[in-house]
Amino acid sequence: MTELNNNVLIDVQHLTKAFGDHVVLKDISEHINEGEKVVIIGPSGGGKSTFLRCLNLLEIPTEGTIIFDGTDITDPKTDINKVRQHMGMVFQHFNLFPNMTVRQNITWAPTKTGMMKAEEADAEATRLLTRVGLLEKEDAYPSSLSGGQKQRIAIVRALAMKPRVMLFDEPTSALDPEMVGEVLEVMKELAEEGMTMAVVTHEMGFAKEVGNRILFMADGVIMEQGTPDQIFNHPQSPRLQDFLAKVLI
Amino acid sequence: MNNLQAQFVTAFVTEDRWKAYLEGLVQKTYVITVGALAFGIVLGILVAVIRTIHDQNIGRNNWLINFLNGICQVYTTIIRGTPMLVQLMVFYFVIFSSSRAKVAISILALGINSGAYVAEIIRSGIMSIDPGQMEAGRSLGLGYTQVMRSVIIPQAIKNILPALGNEMITLFKDTSLVTVIGVTDLTKVAQTIGAKTYSYFMPMIGIALIYLLNVIVLTRLLGILERRLRRSDRT
């Protein structure tokens, strides 16, 4: 975590999350530096998604603090809407707005938050759509798109807000195998441009190639972490060795 | 045959009586339907949103939300548990006994009644939307109300349009109840002319056909609207 050794963008301290009696996250302390690409892997039910969703308060932590760019976002007095405008999120099931065209999906948030004027947002949408090669779909509705196209639009929608960090919650898990590549490609480009990223994924190839740091989560804790080389080639804990044996055939 | 024709002439043509029907239909029945519908939908959305916020526990122990939710529940219980005719008379003869603004009172009473049903319809519509939609909207930095207005409600409306159309048709027909507080709506006109001419057959069959025709046209219009809203599903 010190290899990039620059500004801490997200600092998580003693994060605990419980749903009723079921404790999903147990006293997690972790931080994400600016420009870092953190990939979170681990078995289902281990708390990966919950951890990610706590970072932008889609899940309210039961205990602990999360500092984003110097602001304590777990403080009830913090305007969470303002904070979220700087944190993009991409979901497993895309969650595009089916009542809006592709272009409207992208320009809606920047204009409604007052961040951009309509023309600026339009120009930004055109730029981003061109970049992911979907400009010809600008007037289409999400229902007419393939899964891969939907997810690329969802990434673009989040990028239109010019976020400081992008959170990806299993972005390729709901895709047909042949569409995984096109989405990962966009994510790789984003990583190369220096975007700070936190990615929950089962794509081990992506984790190896793009991640600066891999977190292995199981049973509500970060059991092991390190560089891709450390995690994939020299796993320490039996739990991780077992997990890797199952996913890497 | 001649007899029927004569009855028709008496009921609709003599003394330009058709004008009275038309006036009753347009100035009372239509006005009350549209007014009550608008009022009912606004009220319904309000109640539905309050109840949804409460049920999704977004306000978390917020006394205001709990209080409003309590009011909404009492409101729906009372309105759905008593006859509309009684409600109408309570409004006219009890609550607003000193007022003679019959049309306004009719709109108020029917609107408040309709609102209770519309609220439940809209609530079911809101619940039919994937929670991921709200999460996506919120994750972009928009507030609950904004996401509700731009993302959730438009989709919910589309899903509940058939049910809402039913409510609209019911409301249109139920405006005939305002006859009891003396509004000269279409039904009242027919009643008056029937009494005056000692012949109820034509006036009653006549307005039945007028109501039917209106409902058929309304159904068609709703069908067109529904198809237009479904546009985003196909393309």
Side-chain angles (χ1 to χ4, degrees):
Chain A
M1 52 213 107
T2 45
E3 68 270 19
L4 287 164
N5 198 24
N6 41 18
N7 298 337
V8 174
L9 189 58
I10 303 177
D11 192 9
V12 179
Q13 296 161 359
H14 304 291
L15 170 63
T16 296
K17 173 69 185 176
F19 295 99
D21 292 337
H22 182 50
V23 183
V24 184
L25 299 175
K26 296 167 191 162
D27 192 24
I28 292 180
S29 293
E30 189 50 71
H31 59 262
I32 298 173
N33 290 333
E34 198 144 19
E36 203 180 13
K37 291 95 182 86
V38 175
V39 180
I40 305 158
I41 60 170
S44 303
K48 308 184 297 291
S49 283
T50 309
F51 175 68
L52 195 75
R53 289 160 57 84
C54 278
L55 296 183
N56 69 349
L57 256 53
L58 279 185
E59 302 292 353
I60 311 289
T62 312
E63 274 170 61
T65 26
I66 298 168
I67 316 276
F68 172 69
D69 199 19
T71 312
D72 177 2
I73 66 171
T74 40
D75 181 346
K77 288 195 283 287
T78 304
D79 181 357
I80 189 61
N81 293 338
K82 279 270 173 291
V83 175
R84 284 181 181 142
Q85 287 169 18
H86 304 290
M87 304 173 103
M89 184 158 202
V90 174
F91 301 85
Q92 180 177 0
H93 295 287
F94 330 126
N95 296 348
L96 291 178
F97 306 129
N99 58 321
M100 302 182 193
T101 63
V102 164
R103 180 174 282 279
Q104 287 164 343
N105 261 280
I106 299 166
T107 57
W108 179 67
T111 51
K112 287 287 178 195
T113 53
M115 184 183 235
M116 295 179 196
K117 291 202 186 74
E119 312 86 70
E120 286 175 74
D122 259 328
E124 182 66 6
T126 307
R127 188 181 72 79
L128 289 166
L129 282 171
T130 310
R131 184 178 144 174
V132 294
L134 287 171
L135 188 60
E136 82 271 22
K137 296 289 186 189
E138 58 176 338
D139 294 321
Y141 283 93
S143 58
S144 67
L145 304 177
S146 71
Q149 290 172 332
K150 280 182 195 169
Q151 197 60 302
R152 283 188 281 159
I153 299 294
I155 293 173
V156 162
R157 176 177 68 177
L159 287 178
M161 292 295 289
K162 303 188 186 302
R164 304 274 312 273
V165 58
M166 285 285 282
L167 311 174
F168 291 87
D169 189 3
E170 303 200 23
T172 57
S173 298
L175 295 174
D176 289 339
E178 78 268 24
M179 290 170 182
V180 171
E182 62 190 73
V183 171
L184 291 182
E185 206 48 51
V186 173
M187 291 169 64
K188 277 177 205 165
E189 279 172 31
L190 208 53
E192 280 158 21
E193 283 167 22
M195 174 65 78
T196 311
M197 293 163 73
V199 185
V200 170
T201 189
H202 295 293
E203 295 294 329
M204 297 304 150
F206 176 83
K208 273 185 208 169
E209 191 184 333
V210 177
N212 301 123
R213 188 151 61 96
I214 314 289
L215 308 182
F216 172 66
M217 281 189 79
D219 304 333
V221 294
I222 298 172
M223 276 198 174
E224 194 166 336
Q225 64 164 294
T227 61
D229 179 56
Q230 287 168 333
I231 291 290
F232 291 106
N233 302 328
H234 310 286
Q236 302 298 313
S237 66
R239 194 68 197 270
L240 175 57
Q241 288 164 1
D242 182 50
F243 175 74
L244 291 176
K246 280 176 186 153
V247 292
L248 303 171
I249 311 124
Chain B
M1 204 60 215
N2 270 342
N3 187 23
L4 276 181
Q5 201 181 352
Q7 279 188 35
F8 179 82
V9 170
T10 315
F12 290 97
V13 184
T14 314
E15 293 175 14
D16 279 345
R17 283 182 184 135
W18 59 273
K19 279 186 184 163
Y21 291 101
L22 192 66
E23 253 172 48
L25 179 67
V26 174
Q27 290 177 8
K28 301 290 156 58
T29 302
Y30 282 171
V31 168
I32 292 169
T33 307
V34 172
L37 193 68
F39 186 45
I41 287 178
V42 171
L43 204 59
I45 289 179
L46 212 65
V47 171
V49 168
I50 289 170
R51 296 211 48 198
T52 311
I53 290 177
H54 178 266
D55 291 352
Q56 292 174 347
N57 204 7
I58 288 161
R60 228 168 291 253
N61 300 326
N62 184 328
W63 68 268
L64 182 65
I65 291 295
N66 288 339
F67 176 68
L68 290 175
N69 184 61
I71 291 182
C72 292
Q73 269 175 335
V74 170
Y75 162 66
T76 31
T77 308
I78 291 177
I79 295 301
R80 296 204 297 178
T82 55
M84 169 124 85
L85 190 58
V86 175
Q87 291 164 20
L88 195 60
M89 291 199 278
V90 167
F91 269 91
Y92 186 66
F93 295 117
V94 182
I95 300 176
F96 295 106
S97 55
S98 58
S99 167
R100 292 292 81 117
K102 294 175 180 177
V103 172
I105 292 171
S106 302
I107 289 176
L108 196 66
L110 263 58
I112 286 177
N113 180 282
S114 183
Y117 292 92
V118 171
E120 289 302 294
I121 296 174
I122 291 181
R123 206 161 69 90
S124 73
I126 291 174
M127 289 191 302
S128 73
I129 306 300
D130 177 2
Q133 291 287 307
M134 179 54 83
E135 288 183 352
R138 295 306 305 274
S139 79
L140 289 163
L142 275 304
Y144 179 86
T145 318
Q146 182 65 252
V147 181
M148 215 35 164
R149 198 166 62 204
S150 307
V151 177
I152 310 293
I153 299 279
Q155 293 181 59
I157 295 277
K158 192 172 74 174
N159 288 355
I160 60 177
L161 205 64
L164 218 48
N166 270 342
E167 176 58 26
M168 214 181 275
I169 287 165
T170 306
L171 183 63
F172 170 69
K173 292 182 299 181
D174 283 352
T175 54
S176 62
L177 292 174
V178 301
T179 303
V180 297
I181 62 166
V183 177
T184 50
D185 74 318
L186 187 61
T187 305
K188 186 74 179 175
V189 171
Q191 237 177 23
T192 312
I193 290 173
K196 202 171 171 185
T197 60
Y198 305 107
S199 165
Y200 282 98
F201 178 78
M202 262 307 159
M204 288 305 159
I205 298 298
I207 61 162
L209 286 174
I210 293 172
Y211 279 116
L212 179 63
L213 202 69
N214 274 282
V215 169
I216 290 173
V217 171
L218 193 58
T219 312
R220 284 275 165 84
L221 289 177
L222 284 167
I224 292 171
L225 182 63
E226 208 174 311
R227 246 167 289 143
R228 194 170 285 186
L229 286 178
R230 294 252 165 243
R231 203 179 37 180
S232 58
D233 290 349
R234 290 174 290 139
T235 39

